[in-house]
């Protein structure tokens, strides 16, 4: 069994720092680098990409709605052409910096409200896929199983990779519980590791109502801004390795 371990990184902005990127880069196999629209700035992007290249960690562009004030977690209605252009802008910027550091962007992952929107909205999903088509049709999109972006990508010939979330609660339908709801984020290292191992080995997660939800994932996410993110990521990595699951980037 092989799984990728990814985390959201580079989410500082100016003098404001969020999370311990360097510590997480020693644990994960893929880094979802903020592109400047929900977090991140040129210096932060450059430092994060350089550190990822030094450690052999795959770099992904974590694209978002243009929402610095809301950290990309506010629902927005954006014209499809505008959304396509904004995703393309973010992807090209981070890939350019990554290449200057000796690496490259090897996948794309939407962030926050955009991530959840393209799970259910085929129009917004198609706009994200169109941006990938404009830039590099071989670039995979990382997303939840069964999302609208999978269908849009399949029609366009763009690859997709499914992921699961070790530190987020699930609804019975297999989507993520809204962060506005209590218990949406799980911060107990033992519980997070147990859930990650079960998703990787058995392909199942317990939803908030106690039901068992099938999860087909090639990648496992631990959020860089979750309280105790480094401890959580390390617990997940150790738990997976102890269960005989190899950790390797899909990209």
């Amino acid at each position: 069994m092989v799984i990728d371990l990814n985390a959201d990184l580079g989410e500082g902005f100016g003098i404001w720092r969020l999370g311990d990127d360097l510590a997480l880069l020693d644990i994960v196999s893929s880094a979802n680098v903020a592109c400047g629209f929900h977090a991140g700035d040129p210096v932060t992007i450059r430092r994060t990409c350089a550190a990822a290249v030094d450690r052999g960690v795959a770099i992904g562009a974590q694209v978002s709605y243009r929402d610095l004030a809301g950290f990309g977690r506010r629902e927005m209605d954006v014209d499809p052409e505008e959304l396509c252009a904004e995703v393309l802008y973010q992807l090209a910027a981070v890939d350019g910096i990554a290449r200057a550091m000796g690496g490259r962007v090897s996948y794309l992952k939407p962030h926050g409200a955009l991530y959840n929107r393209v799970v259910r909205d085929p129009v917004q999903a198609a706009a994200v896929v169109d941006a990938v088509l404009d830039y590099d049709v071989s670039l995979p999109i990382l997303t939840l199983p069964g999302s609208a972006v999978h269908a849009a990508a399949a029609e366009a010939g763009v690859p997709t990779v499914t992921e699961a979330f070790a530190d987020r609660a699930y609804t019975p339908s297999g989507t993520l519980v809204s962060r506005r709801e209590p218990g949406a984020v799980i911060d107990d290292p033992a519980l997070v590791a147990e859930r990650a191992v079960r998703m990787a080995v058995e392909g199942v997660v317990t939803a908030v109502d106690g039901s068992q939800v099938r999860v087909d994932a090639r990648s496992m996410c631990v959020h860089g801004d979750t309280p105790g993110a480094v401890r959580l990521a390390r617990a997940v990595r150790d738990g997976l390795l102890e269960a005989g699951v190899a950790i390797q980037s899909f990209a």
Side-chain angles (χ1 to χ4, degrees):
M1 291 178 290
V2 179
I3 199 160
D4 171 59
L5 185 58
N6 77 77
D8 302 344
L9 301 175
E11 292 184 318
F13 187 82
I15 64 170
W16 181 64
R17 294 287 176 262
L18 179 65
D20 189 341
D21 288 353
L22 295 182
L24 283 167
L25 282 167
D26 288 331
I27 298 169
V28 301
S29 50
S30 294
N32 316 316
V33 179
C35 302
F37 271 36
H38 77 279
D41 57 54
V43 171
T44 302
I45 294 169
R46 185 178 186 274
R47 288 174 177 168
T48 306
C49 287
V53 170
D54 287 345
R55 290 161 175 78
V57 174
I59 297 171
Q62 187 163 44
V63 299
S64 169
Y65 288 128
R66 189 191 294 267
D67 181 25
L68 276 174
F71 199 65
R73 288 178 175 158
R74 296 186 290 192
E75 186 78 9
M76 302 181 76
D77 286 316
V78 182
D79 177 81
E81 183 181 10
E82 182 179 354
L83 179 59
C84 173
E86 292 193 342
V87 169
L88 178 61
Y89 179 94
Q90 295 173 77
L91 171 58
V94 173
D95 189 40
I97 293 175
R99 289 177 185 273
M101 296 300 101
R104 67 181 182 89
V105 164
S106 52
Y107 65 95
L108 178 144
K109 177 180 174 179
H111 166 81
L114 180 59
Y115 186 99
N116 293 322
R117 184 68 172 265
V118 300
V119 167
R120 68 180 192 277
D121 185 335
V123 175
Q124 299 261 297
V128 171
V129 171
D130 285 345
V132 175
L133 280 173
D134 285 346
Y135 195 77
D136 182 353
V137 68
S138 70
L139 206 63
I141 300 173
L142 187 59
T143 183
L144 280 180
S147 62
V149 77
H150 279 288
E155 184 175 347
V158 172
T160 53
V161 176
T162 55
E163 73 171 332
F165 289 81
D167 57 358
R168 291 294 308 277
Y170 277 77
T171 70
S173 64
T175 58
L176 301 179
V177 173
S178 169
R179 285 180 176 268
R180 293 188 293 271
E181 300 295 328
V185 179
I186 304 165
D187 57 11
D188 179 284
L191 179 56
V192 169
E194 177 187 342
R195 289 165 64 87
V197 169
R198 190 160 182 243
M199 284 189 278
V201 175
E202 302 176 26
V204 175
V205 65
T206 301
V208 288
D209 66 347
S211 63
Q212 304 303 301
V213 177
R214 293 296 306 174
V215 177
D216 175 21
R218 173 62 180 86
S219 186
M220 188 78 59
C221 179
V222 178
H223 285 90
D225 66 321
T226 299
V230 174
R231 281 197 309 135
L232 292 176
R234 189 173 290 118
V236 168
R237 182 182 180 90
D238 291 346
L240 290 169
L241 292 175
E242 288 171 9
V245 181
I247 295 173
Q248 180 181 321
S249 174
F250 60 84

